C-alpha cells in the first residue's frame, strides 16, 4: 500500500511563480553587481585650458563620457585624499573651484590670489598651497573655512607647488628667479632657497619625503635635491636622437610608488623620459602626443596618462611595456590630469 510513498510528483502549480521570482531575484542581483562594478571603474579628469572645461574619461572604454564647465583657463588639478572632491585652478578667474565628484558640480570657490597656476594640498586635507604667478606669492587657504591663512613672498613668477608626504615642507618654484622656495608648513614662513636651472616648472617629492625632483623647462634638466640639506645632489640631462636640444623641455614629473621609475614629460619634444629612480640613468623615451605637459598614474600604476597640449589629447602608457598604447581626444590644450579609483 505504501510502495509509492517515495515516488516523485509534479510540483503544485501554485509554487511555480516562486521559482520564477527566484530567477528574477538572481537576474536582478547580477545586474546590480554589474552596475556596482561599473561604478567602480577608474575615471580620469583633465583640465582643458582653452575650452574652460574638464573632460571626464572612463578608463574602461577609454572615452570621454562627460564635460564639466569650469572657470577661465583651468590648469592645476588635484583630489582630496578620499577622492570625493576635485580642486581646479581657474587661473584667469583668480579662483580655486571645488567640484563634488558625486554630482560633478561646483560646490565652492576659494580665494586664491591672482593667477593661480599650480597648487598642492597638505595631507591634513585642509591647507591648500597656491602659487600666484602675477603677484610673486604663495597663498595658503583653509579649504574648510575659506580663510586665507598666509601669503608668503617668493621669487618672480611662481609656478610649481609641492607638499612633502610627511607634511613638513611646501616647495614653490619661481620661473624667473630659477629657485626652489622652502616653506615650513608649521609656521608658513619661507626658510630657504635652492638655485636650480632656468625656468623650474614642477616639483615632486619621493614617497618617503627624503628627495625632491625639480624640472627646469628651459634649462632642460631635472635636479635631485636632498630634502634634509636642501642641496642639489644629482642633475639629469636628456638627449633624443633627431630632436634639437632646445625642444627638450622637462615639465611634469611622476615617481612610481615602488621606487623603480621616474617619468619626465619633455614638452615640445613630444616624449616622456623613463628614468631609473635609483641610479638616475635615462632608460628610454616614449613617444606621446604634441607638447606633453603633465601626467597621472591610474590606481595600480599599471598605466600612466599624459596631457598633450597642442594635439589636444591624452596618451595612455602601459607601464609594464613602457609603450604608449592608446590616445584619447579631449578638449583644447589639456594641461593637468588626475585619476580616481
Amino acid at each position: 500500500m505504501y510502495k509509492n510513498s517515495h515516488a516523485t510528483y509534479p510540483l503544485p502549480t501554485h509554487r511555480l511563480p516562486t521559482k520564477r521570482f527566484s530567477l528574477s531575484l538572481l537576474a536582478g542581483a547580477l545586474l546590480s553587481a554589474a552596475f556596482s562594478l561599473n561604478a567602480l571603474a577608474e575615471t580620469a579628469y583633465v583640465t582643458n585650458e582653452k575650452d574652460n572645461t574638464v573632460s571626464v574619461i572612463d578608463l574602461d572604454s577609454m572615452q570621454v563620457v562627460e564635460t564639466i564647465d569650469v572657470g577661465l583657463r583651468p590648469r592645476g588639478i588635484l583630489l582630496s585624499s578620499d577622492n570625493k572632491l576635485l580642486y581646479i585652478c581657474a587661473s584667469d578667474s583668480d579662483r580655486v573651484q571645488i567640484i563634488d565628484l558625486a554630482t560633478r558640480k561646483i560646490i565652492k570657490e576659494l580665494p586664491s590670489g591672482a593667477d593661480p597656476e599650480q597648487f598642492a594640498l597638505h595631507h591634513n586635507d585642509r591647507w591648500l598651497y597656491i602659487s600666484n604667478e602675477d603677484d610673486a606669492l604663495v597663498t595658503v587657504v583653509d579649504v574648510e573655512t575659506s580663510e586665507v591663512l598666509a601669503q608668503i613672498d617668493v621669487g618672480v613668477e611662481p609656478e610649481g607647488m609641492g607638499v612633502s608626504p610627511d607634511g613638513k615642507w611646501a616647495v614653490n618654484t619661481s620661473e624667473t628667479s630659477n629657485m626652489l622656495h622652502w616653506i615650513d608648513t608649521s609656521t608658513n614662513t619661507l626658510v630657504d632657497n635652492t638655485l636650480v636651472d632656468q625656468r623650474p616648472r614642477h616639483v615632486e617629492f619621493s614617497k618617503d619625503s627624503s628627495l625632491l625632483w625639480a624640472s627646469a623647462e628651459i634649462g632642460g634638466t631635472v635636479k635631485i635635491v636632498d630634502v634634509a640639506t636642501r642641496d642639489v645632489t644629482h642633475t639629469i640631462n636628456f638627449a633624443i636622437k633627431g630632436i634639437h636640444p632646445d625642444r627638450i623641455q622637462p615639465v611634469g614629473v611622476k615617481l612610481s610608488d615602488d621606487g623603480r621609475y621616474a617619468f619626465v614629460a619633455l614638452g615640445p619634444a613630444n616624449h616622456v623620459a623613463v628614468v631609473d629612480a635609483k641610479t638616475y640613468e635615462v632608460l628610454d623615451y616614449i613617444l606621446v602626443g604634441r607638447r606633453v605637459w603633465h601626467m597621472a598614474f591610474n590606481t595600480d600604476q599599471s598605466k600612466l596618462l599624459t596631457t598633450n597640449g597642442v594635439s589636444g589629447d591624452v596618451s595612455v602608457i602601459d607601464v609594464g611595456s613602457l609603450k604608449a598604447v592608446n590616445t584619447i581626444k579631449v578638449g583644447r590644450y589639456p594641461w593637468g590630469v588626475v585619476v580616481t579609483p
Side-chain angles (χ1 to χ4, degrees):
M1 154 175 201
Y2 296 102
K3 282 184 179 180
N4 294 326
S5 61
H6 297 292
T8 58
Y9 297 94
L11 290 171
T13 56
H14 71 272
R15 296 183 65 184
L16 292 177
T18 304
K19 186 176 182 181
R20 286 199 298 268
F21 182 66
S22 298
L23 291 172
S24 178
L25 279 176
L26 176 61
L30 291 172
L31 187 61
S32 176
F35 276 122
S36 297
L37 287 172
N38 187 59
L40 293 174
E42 292 179 309
T43 305
Y45 296 87
V46 178
T47 51
N48 302 304
E49 273 194 273
K50 297 293 186 183
D51 286 346
N52 306 324
T53 61
V54 171
S55 294
V56 183
I57 301 171
D58 182 310
L59 290 185
D60 281 351
S61 65
M62 295 290 177
Q63 292 182 347
V64 173
V65 294
E66 189 175 343
T67 301
I68 305 170
D69 291 325
V70 293
L72 302 179
R73 200 183 179 196
R75 289 186 282 181
I77 183 171
L78 58 81
L79 290 160
S80 59
S81 60
D82 60 8
N83 294 309
K84 292 181 178 180
L85 299 176
L86 185 69
Y87 294 82
I88 304 290
C89 272
S91 299
D92 286 355
S93 296
D94 295 336
R95 284 288 183 272
V96 168
Q97 297 177 316
I98 303 177
I99 296 173
D100 179 354
L101 290 183
T103 61
R104 293 180 180 160
K105 303 293 184 186
I106 296 171
I107 58 170
K108 194 174 186 179
E109 293 193 337
L110 300 173
S112 66
D115 193 20
E117 184 158 349
Q118 287 204 60
F119 51 6
L121 188 62
H122 193 277
H123 68 72
N124 65 13
D125 249 7
R126 288 194 61 166
W127 301 341
L128 188 65
Y129 289 80
I130 308 163
S131 64
N132 299 131
E133 190 167 18
D134 289 349
D135 288 349
L137 291 172
V138 167
T139 298
V140 189
V141 178
D142 185 322
V143 300
E144 290 189 10
T145 66
S146 300
E147 178 187 2
V148 175
L149 303 176
Q151 287 196 305
I152 304 157
D153 290 320
V154 289
V156 179
E157 288 190 292
E159 163 91 9
M161 197 79 236
V163 173
S164 59
D166 63 13
K168 294 180 179 178
W169 294 106
V171 174
N172 172 252
T173 72
S174 55
E175 290 184 83
T176 302
S177 300
N178 302 329
M179 285 184 175
L180 310 179
H181 306 288
W182 297 79
I183 297 166
D184 182 337
T185 60
S186 65
T187 60
N188 282 331
T189 55
L190 180 67
V191 297
D192 206 353
N193 303 290
T194 302
L195 185 66
V196 290
D197 288 331
Q198 193 173 358
R199 194 183 286 179
R201 293 299 296 261
H202 185 81
V203 287
E204 195 83 8
F205 281 92
S206 61
K207 195 174 180 180
D208 64 2
S209 301
S210 66
L211 297 175
L212 181 72
W213 294 60
S215 66
E217 185 177 27
I218 301 303
T221 62
V222 168
K223 299 285 190 184
I224 313 299
V225 183
D226 183 288
V227 172
T229 63
R230 298 181 290 283
D231 291 330
V232 174
T233 60
H234 294 86
T235 299
I236 302 172
N237 294 281
F238 306 93
I240 305 173
K241 186 177 180 180
I243 297 178
H244 194 279
D246 287 350
R247 295 185 61 79
I248 301 174
Q249 300 175 10
V251 189
V253 179
K254 293 302 290 184
L255 307 177
S256 61
D257 285 345
D258 61 8
R260 185 178 182 185
Y261 293 130
F263 294 91
V264 182
L266 297 178
N270 306 334
H271 283 74
V272 170
V274 185
V275 179
D276 185 313
K278 293 184 174 67
T279 66
Y280 309 122
E281 176 190 1
V282 179
L283 304 174
D284 203 355
Y285 296 98
I286 303 169
L287 179 64
V288 291
R290 296 169 61 200
R291 193 61 172 93
V292 54
W293 270 108
H294 288 285
M295 300 169 290
F297 286 111
N298 71 332
T299 307
D300 65 5
Q301 299 198 345
S302 61
K303 297 181 179 67
L304 181 71
L305 278 63
T306 76
T307 56
N308 312 314
V310 173
S311 53
D313 53 31
V314 168
S315 295
V316 181
I317 294 171
D318 177 78
V319 174
S321 64
L322 298 178
K323 303 290 184 185
V325 295
N326 213 325
T327 301
I328 305 164
K329 194 68 178 175
V330 289
R332 293 183 300 159
Y333 283 74
W335 197 95
V337 55
V338 293
V339 177
T340 62

